Amino acid sequence: MRTQLIAGNWKMNLTCAQALANAESLVKLIEQRPDVDVAVCVPFTAIGRVREALRNSSVHLGAQNVFWLEKGAYTGQISPGMLADFDVAYCIVGHSETRGRFGVSEVEAALLPYFAESDSAINAKIRALLFHSINPILCVGETADEWTAGTTEGVIRQQLEGALKGIEPAELYSFAVAYEPVWAIGTGQTCEADEAARICTLVRNYLADILDAEVADNIRVLYGGSVRSSNADVLLNRNEIDGLLVGGASLDAMEFARIVMAARHGG
Ligand code: PGA
């Protein structure tokens, strides 16, 4: 059985001091669940401090984005080698907020191109992370309009194909995919567990098709979008769902710990 992965995405929140306090509380709160993989994907500015807090704990350090080249004149970017320098274990790639696919957008249309990460950029980021043995968490998911139009399956297939193009299946053993319907992110509107499980199965079938069945069987497929402690157990009880990517609720260590406690036992 695949060990469930619960990953927190702190997004652009928390000062260094707040991040440190949150990480320290989390480490104490989840001591009794070594059978679950837990990661926190923190802002770049907090990576150094949080790394210290997580030392000697079972909680893994994660980042929220990466550039694909090692060095050069790329102002403002962070390379995979820089993440490896801090022992970063996981990195989110292709989040709808970096693809520019905001659900209920608070961002003006004119700003969207600044976020527009393409499938080929996502592919390059995944390759760069794998080279440094950092586990990518690839986000896929449809917008509200695509959901209404019934094109979810096609959108997800295309995102997976674009992200994984030309990558050797054998390199993807430590890889995870998060199904995050854009309309469910930060909206309080969670996808029903049945539907989340159906899409997670679809993702695994597509992975088997694009890669191979054995590799696909090892890849963890998570759900993300308005996860709270009140709905985590229904999602985590589904065999098709190998964990959760948690945004807002991961900012509160107690609430995030409750979500971790809801993971299936055994691993
Ligand atoms: P949310 O965000 O839990 O706040 O909806 C999830 C995500 O964006 O990864």
Side-chain angles (χ1 to χ4, degrees):
M1 194 163 73
R2 294 173 292 268
T3 303
Q4 286 193 318
L5 167 64
I6 314 291
N9 175 8
W10 292 359
K11 306 195 180 183
M12 195 176 71
N13 294 292
L14 308 183
T15 61
C16 269
Q18 292 166 336
L20 184 65
N22 206 29
E24 284 173 348
S25 305
L26 182 66
V27 166
K28 288 193 197 110
L29 288 165
I30 63 157
E31 262 169 3
Q32 298 117 10
R33 289 308 304 265
D35 57 332
V36 185
D37 278 346
V38 180
V40 283
C41 300
V42 310
F44 291 136
T45 49
I47 279 184
R49 297 290 292 280
V50 171
R51 177 201 197 195
E52 295 311 313
L54 302 185
R55 209 184 277 281
N56 304 321
S57 86
S58 60
V59 181
H60 300 285
L61 181 60
Q64 300 170 18
N65 201 356
V66 67
F67 195 62
W68 57 89
L69 294 174
E70 279 308 324
K71 62 180 177 142
Y74 303 103
T75 303
Q77 303 298 329
I78 299 286
S79 77
M82 290 170 178
L83 297 184
D85 209 17
F86 282 87
D87 304 316
V88 165
Y90 290 90
C91 183
I92 296 171
V93 186
H95 190 283
S96 62
E97 287 157 11
T98 54
R99 290 180 193 256
R101 294 164 62 84
F102 295 85
V104 182
S105 181
E106 288 167 13
V107 176
E108 291 168 40
L111 280 176
L112 288 180
Y114 291 97
F115 295 91
E117 186 182 43
S118 65
D119 280 339
S120 61
I122 291 167
N123 181 276
K125 289 178 182 188
I126 292 173
R127 289 169 187 266
L129 289 170
L130 292 172
F131 181 78
H132 282 278
S133 304
I134 299 172
N135 305 321
I137 302 175
L138 168 68
C139 300
V140 297
E142 79 288 355
T143 61
D145 286 349
E146 289 160 349
W147 167 258
T148 312
T151 56
T152 300
E153 286 85 349
V155 168
I156 289 175
R157 170 102 202 190
Q158 198 182 334
Q159 289 174 340
L160 288 171
E161 277 175 353
L164 301 178
K165 197 170 175 187
I167 300 179
E168 279 298 312
E171 287 185 58
L172 291 163
Y173 267 95
S174 57
F175 175 75
V177 177
Y179 167 55
E180 296 212 311
V182 181
W183 48 267
I185 295 177
T187 59
Q189 204 187 333
T190 322
C191 184
E192 293 294 325
D194 280 350
E195 179 62 3
R198 185 181 77 84
I199 304 286
C200 287
T201 303
L202 208 76
V203 167
R204 190 173 308 288
N205 292 343
Y206 288 159
L207 289 171
D209 232 24
I210 298 168
L211 306 167
D212 72 52
E214 196 198 327
V215 172
D217 197 47
N218 271 293
I219 292 175
R220 289 182 287 195
V221 184
L222 321 180
Y223 167 79
S226 295
V227 172
R228 302 280 177 273
S229 59
S230 51
N231 56 25
D233 56 342
V234 195
L235 293 158
L236 289 169
N237 273 329
R238 301 296 302 241
N239 280 334
E240 304 90 330
I241 302 178
D242 302 318
L244 301 170
L245 182 54
V246 185
S250 69
L251 293 172
D252 175 346
M254 182 64 92
E255 172 67 359
F256 188 58
R258 283 192 203 106
I259 295 171
V260 172
M261 294 305 166
R264 280 196 306 261
H265 281 271

